[in-house]
Amino acid sequence: MTATRVQSQSMKFMAHNGIEITNRRQLQVSLHPFTLRTPMKLKFLQALCLAFAPAICVAQPVESAAPSVTAIRAGKFIDVQTGQTLTNRIILIHGAKIEAVGSNIKIPDGATVIDLSKMTVLPGLVDCHTHLADLHGAEPLVSLRMTAAETAYAAIPNARVTLLAGFTTVRDVGVYRAFNDVAMRDAIASGIFIGPRMYVAGAYVTISEGAGAMTGLAKDIQLPLDLRYGIANGPWEVRRVVRELAHLGADHIKILTTGAVLTHGSNAKSIEFTPEEIKAAVEEAANFGLRVEAHAHDADGIKNAIRAGVASVEHATLIDDEGIALAKQHGTYLDMDIYDEECIQSDPATPADFLAHDAGLGETQRRNFTKAVRAGVKMSFGTDAGVCPHGINARQFAFMVKYGMTPMQAIQAATVNAADLIGHSELFGSITPGKSADIIAVTGDPIADIRELEHVRFVMKEGKVYQQEQ
Ligand SMILES: [Zn+2]
């Protein structure tokens, strides 16, 4: 067992934003030289400066000042844990964390008061299926026209628009350029640019020429390593790739157990990874404290993934009654992207072969979503953002309601359920004392009209306001 793993089980760290870090991978980030050593270097330089040239030093404290206190007055307050809308709540925030929530809370002297008394306040939203760190659009081959660095810079606005749309956390489920997502997550966490808190996959774990591979090339083209990083065949190769991803910064593992719609030469109804390979991925990921999500369209590929113990099935397009029963029995989340059909079909840039793959699948997926909701399967909110433009993630809510959820269930899918699926209910997913101050507000009542969530007016993440429209 490595030193890092020992520490991860026994220690809690306080990040610069005051949030306790218990996640093993986040701990690795916090041990990065720039997060621990730089303040020490600064302290030393500051001491030198004060000793020899006090007139020109800036005697600012190296460590940040005492965390600020903020009070939010919420006119309406959606309690996602009880499924009720409350009125006239006060949320007290200390630094990055929620300290107290209630109707009778004294606002301390000197606190910054944010008046949302004419708005509806709810937790920051969570999208469990995004591709922020990749290029927008259905055609993967565009990745071949840009360097990894160009792709990374081009993706920065994806993070920004997603946060400003009210999504304070995302589970990003794969990139063609391996580890662009790890870099984006860390750049956001260290404040280089703004975006949601990200949990990332590192790469797609896929069979050769499979749903997560860069296909459609001439037969004699050799791809660079980062464009074929997660290819694995056989349980031991799967374990090797999972081990590497875990070591190199993945927060979870994305496997593809059937063919795909948006992959050249693929067939959504084909089986890709075998049950043995899926099991190897789940077991190996668990050894590193990671969960696995499985892309699966075909009914048997979905069942293989559920039986092997994945945390969620992505798309779940052709799930049958047996699959629905299995998901319920195993407590597996279905993360069904039932809006993006609109984008696949309307975007003139969607390749013709992808449209052919997609024929009939969109409507079937929506009908199966209804069945799964009625059966009481655990549902999370995942849009496959990147297929649709980033920042319009909330358009899926209206479709979730149209196809069988109550507005409260749809909001819960994107808050409490999403946090449970990602494995960080202690940190986000509800406005509860002790959790990160990830809070949004809309002008109307999303329980009466779910489309209110398409126009988020106020966004706070970790106690910091990123958007405030009246
Ligand atoms: Zn996807």
Side-chain angles (χ1 to χ4, degrees):
M1 187 176 278
T2 66
T4 306
R5 289 180 69 188
V6 172
Q7 283 170 330
S8 74
Q9 288 164 8
S10 59
M11 295 177 71
K12 286 184 177 178
F13 273 67
M14 298 298 283
H16 65 279
N17 55 18
I19 291 173
E20 276 186 350
I21 294 178
T22 51
N23 173 285
R24 186 193 57 78
R25 201 226 43 78
Q26 282 185 328
L27 180 63
Q28 288 174 339
V29 172
S30 75
L31 290 172
H32 187 278
F34 285 98
T35 52
L36 278 189
R37 291 181 196 156
T38 302
M40 282 189 273
K41 279 184 200 156
L42 285 175
K43 254 186 184 169
F44 177 68
L45 290 173
Q46 192 184 36
L48 270 183
C49 183
L50 285 166
F52 295 105
I56 59 164
C57 321
V58 180
Q60 285 174 339
V62 172
E63 260 129 49
S64 54
S68 59
V69 177
T70 305
I72 293 178
R73 291 184 187 279
K76 284 185 177 167
F77 175 94
I78 297 185
D79 184 340
V80 293
Q81 289 178 312
T82 62
Q84 292 183 323
T85 304
L86 309 172
T87 53
N88 298 324
R89 259 32 196 185
I90 290 169
I91 306 161
L92 209 57
I93 296 151
H94 198 79
K97 274 194 173 181
I98 298 163
E99 192 168 77
V101 184
S103 55
N104 249 333
I105 287 179
K106 184 177 161 11
I107 298 177
D109 293 342
T112 304
V113 178
I114 298 174
D115 184 10
L116 302 178
S117 57
K118 293 190 171 61
M119 293 194 175
T120 304
V121 173
L122 61 158
L125 301 170
V126 183
D127 191 331
C128 296
H129 191 130
T130 64
H131 299 279
L132 291 193
D134 229 329
L135 300 164
H136 156 66
E139 175 56 270
L141 294 174
V142 295
S143 292
L144 301 179
R145 296 207 183 99
M146 293 169 89
T147 64
E150 286 169 337
T151 303
Y153 285 123
I156 290 173
N158 302 343
R160 179 185 181 82
V161 296
T162 303
L163 175 64
L164 297 183
F167 288 81
T168 48
T169 303
V170 300
R171 186 181 64 162
D172 214 61
V173 292
V175 269
Y176 282 107
R177 290 274 186 190
F179 305 112
N180 267 14
D181 52 354
V182 171
M184 179 181 255
R185 174 199 66 198
D186 295 348
I188 292 169
S190 60
I192 294 173
F193 54 87
I194 70 166
R197 176 187 299 108
M198 290 178 77
Y199 293 93
V200 302
Y204 295 113
V205 182
T206 181
I207 64 167
S208 289
E209 305 299 328
M214 179 67 67
T215 59
L217 309 169
K219 294 174 185 61
D220 56 354
I221 299 286
Q222 271 295 324
L223 291 170
L225 179 62
D226 65 344
L227 282 167
R228 56 182 165 80
Y229 195 90
I231 291 174
N233 296 282
W236 284 106
E237 261 196 58
V238 168
R239 285 181 189 268
R240 177 185 60 78
V241 169
V242 169
R243 288 167 182 168
E244 289 179 5
L245 289 170
H247 179 74
L248 294 171
D251 299 302
H252 50 86
I253 299 295
K254 167 73 174 289
I255 62 170
L256 296 98
T257 70
T258 75
V261 172
L262 306 178
T263 304
H264 295 293
S266 194
N267 176 0
K269 293 173 186 163
S270 66
I271 297 288
E272 296 202 341
F273 278 129
T274 63
E276 293 77 13
E277 289 169 317
I278 305 169
K279 224 168 173 231
V282 171
E283 276 182 17
E284 201 59 46
N287 289 342
F288 294 90
L290 307 184
R291 299 177 181 189
V292 176
E293 64 272 5
H295 154 112
H297 293 292
D298 172 77
D300 288 326
I302 292 168
K303 285 182 274 194
N304 287 344
I306 296 172
R307 288 194 183 103
V310 301
S312 67
V313 176
E314 308 303 301
H315 314 297
T317 311
L318 300 170
I319 192 165
D320 58 16
D321 291 345
E322 189 188 11
I324 287 173
L326 270 177
K328 208 172 165 192
Q329 185 193 332
H330 286 252
T332 314
Y333 274 97
L334 300 184
D335 199 36
M336 298 177 76
D337 51 336
I338 62 168
Y339 176 75
D340 62 3
E341 177 73 3
E342 305 299 303
C343 303
I344 293 171
Q345 290 295 332
S346 65
D347 185 348
T350 303
D353 54 335
F354 292 178
L355 289 173
H357 297 165
D358 189 52
L361 291 186
E363 213 31 58
T364 307
Q365 186 196 32
R366 289 167 180 176
R367 280 203 307 273
N368 287 336
F369 175 87
T370 305
K371 279 190 190 174
V373 171
R374 283 195 189 136
V377 178
K378 287 186 186 174
M379 306 296 283
S380 51
F381 180 95
T383 62
D384 212 353
V387 175
C388 286
H390 296 278
I392 64 167
N393 318 49
R395 289 193 194 173
Q396 183 169 286
F397 284 112
F399 279 67
M400 293 168 94
V401 171
K402 181 179 172 189
Y403 286 92
M405 280 185 172
T406 64
M408 185 61 83
Q409 282 177 318
I411 292 169
Q412 287 169 327
T415 52
V416 270
N417 294 11
D420 181 44
L421 168 57
I422 294 172
H424 284 290
S425 296
E426 85 295 348
L427 185 59
F428 57 88
S430 64
I431 300 175
T432 308
K435 293 193 185 182
S436 176
D438 298 350
I439 295 167
I440 65 167
V442 294
T443 41
D445 179 1
I447 300 300
D449 177 7
I450 194 72
R451 295 198 64 181
E452 287 291 337
L453 293 178
E454 295 173 23
H455 308 286
V456 170
R457 308 291 180 188
F458 174 84
V459 178
M460 171 184 275
K461 183 188 129 197
E462 294 169 358
K464 189 172 166 195
V465 177
Y466 288 89
Q467 174 147 285
Q468 191 166 9
E469 294 171 18
Q470 291 306 321

